Amino acid sequence: MTDGRITTAKLGDNGPEVGVQGLGCMGMSFAYGPTDADASRATLERALELGVTFYDTADAYGAGENERFLSPFFKAHRDEVVIATKFALSIPPDDPTRRVIRNDPPYIRQAVEASLKRLDVDVIDLYYMHRRDVNVPIEESVGTMADLVREGKVKHLGLSEVTADELRAAHAVHPIAAVQSEWSLFSRDIETHVVPAARDLGVALVPYSPLGRGFLTGSFTDAEQDLTPDDFRRQQPRFTGDNATANATLLELIRSVAEAHDASLGQIALAWVQQQTTIHDLPVIPIPGTRKPSRVEENTAATRIVLTDEQLDLLNGIAAQVAGNRYADMAFTSAGRE
Ligand SMILES: NC(=O)c1ccc[n+]([C@@H]2O[C@H](COP(=O)([O-])OP(=O)(O)OC[C@H]3O[C@@H](n4cnc5c(N)ncnc54)[C@H](OP(=O)(O)O)[C@@H]3O)[C@@H](O)[C@H]2O)c1
């Protein structure tokens, strides 16, 4: 890193070169309580100054609102940014706890046109299948995604929350640049099957929620008490009640490492994720989400921290002690199908 800028890495064998840390933009429009558009815009600009080039959104975030919000920033910096968006998931407005998943070809075609329009760009750099509908063969969905590449609507393909077998089947149809799945000190289920498959195939890993949706920074303890009524984290079992109380005690292990580095808890959580690149020998490009310029500075600075083997051992023990699942319904995750 020079002048505070982060270094770059290739997003898988066939993917673009990106900053080693991306930016998750979901919270700017969706899921995590009240937003401040000016602060979010300032965060996007500060991130770019610091070498963050990989920006993550989805059509589901605010039912298109997040893509629309990001559009002016992307247009102003089109040659400097790698735009990742997703299809497959929608949330019925009358029941925000429900998820509708579609992977069929007509739906994919309709979704990509809608995303291109909202983003107001000619091409999407990385197009992910957000969730898997097991009723549609993955070869069929990826076949349509590959057609979008041939037609110039999309440059690279990605998958989110897929199993190792699903990734292999998809990659046989068209090269997959990246798998996006939850990976953090609290969520390590993908290490058993998905990560080795990605390494074998030359696919990058894009960890989402690397800060455990903020819990690993210590910024909230009990979602029901600390967060607004519409905050999605109130639906996640590990952030409420006795689970949250038990999980908060695990932060003390992170704190001891943070003190040794004169770093924040969040920086240690990010350094641990980033270091999985060397541990598992594949590109790992986390996308921490924030809406504050000062936090993007803090988060990108974490790419300079190198944890010792003893510190990694200590931190590695945390995940097995976490109380509560990462989602109320694990059927929509790779772990739920493996
Ligand atoms: N594929 C999927 O299914 C999926 C699922 C979830 C998320 N995602 C993507 O992954 C991205 C990141 O995941 P995430 O946003 O769920 O979780 P995350 O990155 O683990 O945590 C985000 C939370 O941490 C807070 N935060 C960030 N930096 C901080 C810091 N330095 N100090 C204290 N708090 C800090 C943020 O608050 P502020 O915003 O207020 O700073 C926000 O509440 C999302 O934006 C989205 O693009 C994908």
Side-chain angles (χ1 to χ4, degrees):
M1 185 190 293
T2 28
D3 301 331
R5 282 177 69 83
I6 59 173
T7 55
T8 62
K10 214 163 145 40
L11 194 71
D13 286 355
N14 302 295
E17 190 83 11
V18 293
V20 291
Q21 186 181 104
L23 182 66
C25 302
M26 177 180 78
M28 294 179 183
S29 316
F30 174 70
Y32 294 161
T35 57
D36 175 336
D38 288 341
S40 292
R41 279 190 280 270
T43 304
L44 294 164
E45 296 289 348
R46 187 68 185 123
L48 192 59
E49 285 168 6
L50 291 167
V52 175
T53 58
F54 183 39
Y55 293 83
D56 191 77
T57 180
D59 59 2
Y61 300 162
E65 185 45 42
N66 196 232
E67 290 180 328
R68 269 190 292 271
F69 173 75
L70 294 168
S71 170
F73 170 73
F74 289 155
K75 280 175 76 86
H77 302 286
R78 187 64 190 99
D79 296 339
E80 301 159 88
V81 297
V82 171
I83 303 172
T85 192
K86 319 183 189 80
F87 72 90
L89 187 63
S90 60
I91 301 163
D94 57 336
D95 183 0
T97 61
R98 215 159 68 81
R99 301 287 180 265
V100 176
I101 299 172
R102 286 193 56 187
N103 292 173
D104 53 286
Y107 179 81
I108 297 172
R109 290 206 158 273
Q110 178 195 314
V112 76
E113 295 303 336
S115 283
L116 285 165
K117 194 164 173 219
R118 283 188 294 262
L119 290 163
D120 197 13
V121 293
D122 296 330
V123 61
I124 291 163
D125 299 310
L126 176 62
Y127 200 40
Y128 289 105
M129 179 192 291
H130 203 160
R131 283 291 183 279
R132 175 101 168 85
D133 171 4
V134 292
N135 299 310
V136 180
I138 197 155
E139 293 83 354
E140 204 175 296
S141 310
V142 177
T144 300
M145 293 167 77
D147 287 343
L148 301 181
V149 176
R150 284 186 278 273
E151 292 162 22
K153 295 177 195 292
V154 164
K155 283 191 187 159
H156 303 282
L157 303 186
L159 304 167
S160 177
E161 289 283 359
V162 285
T163 66
D165 288 348
E166 289 163 351
L167 171 59
R168 286 201 183 86
H171 196 79
V173 176
H174 187 278
I176 301 297
V179 167
Q180 180 176 138
S181 281
E182 186 164 355
W183 200 5
S184 73
L185 282 172
F186 264 28
S187 302
R188 298 183 56 194
D189 47 80
I190 63 166
E191 289 173 40
T192 316
H193 301 296
V194 179
V195 170
R199 182 186 48 233
D200 291 351
L201 298 169
V203 174
L205 239 301
V206 176
Y208 76 74
S209 304
L211 293 166
R213 298 187 185 255
F215 191 89
L216 292 168
T217 69
S219 59
F220 73 96
T221 303
D222 187 315
E224 272 166 0
Q225 286 171 23
D226 302 339
L227 304 176
T228 53
D230 59 341
D231 197 301
F232 173 68
R233 291 167 288 190
R234 291 164 69 110
Q235 297 174 35
Q236 295 186 283
R238 59 178 50 171
F239 300 140
T240 54
D242 291 345
N243 287 346
T245 309
N247 292 336
T249 65
L250 300 172
L251 299 187
E252 291 315 308
L253 292 169
I254 309 174
R255 198 178 308 282
S256 65
V257 177
E259 280 166 7
H261 285 274
D262 197 14
S264 66
L265 301 185
Q267 285 179 315
I268 297 304
L270 290 175
W272 180 89
V273 173
Q274 207 100 40
Q275 227 157 309
Q276 303 307 311
T277 292
T278 39
I279 293 165
H280 294 279
D281 190 25
L282 84 169
V284 177
I285 318 283
I287 47 166
T290 183
R291 303 166 285 193
K292 299 179 179 70
S294 62
R295 287 182 171 176
V296 97
E297 290 168 6
E298 180 184 331
N299 296 348
T300 50
T303 63
R304 276 177 292 202
I305 297 172
V306 179
L307 303 168
T308 65
D309 288 346
E310 293 73 29
Q311 290 167 342
L312 287 167
D313 281 348
L314 183 73
L315 296 168
N316 284 340
I318 292 177
Q321 300 178 61
V322 174
N325 280 336
R326 51 195 181 93
Y327 285 96
D329 185 352
M330 289 293 284
F332 298 131
T333 68
S334 58
R337 292 193 303 281
E338 224 135 33

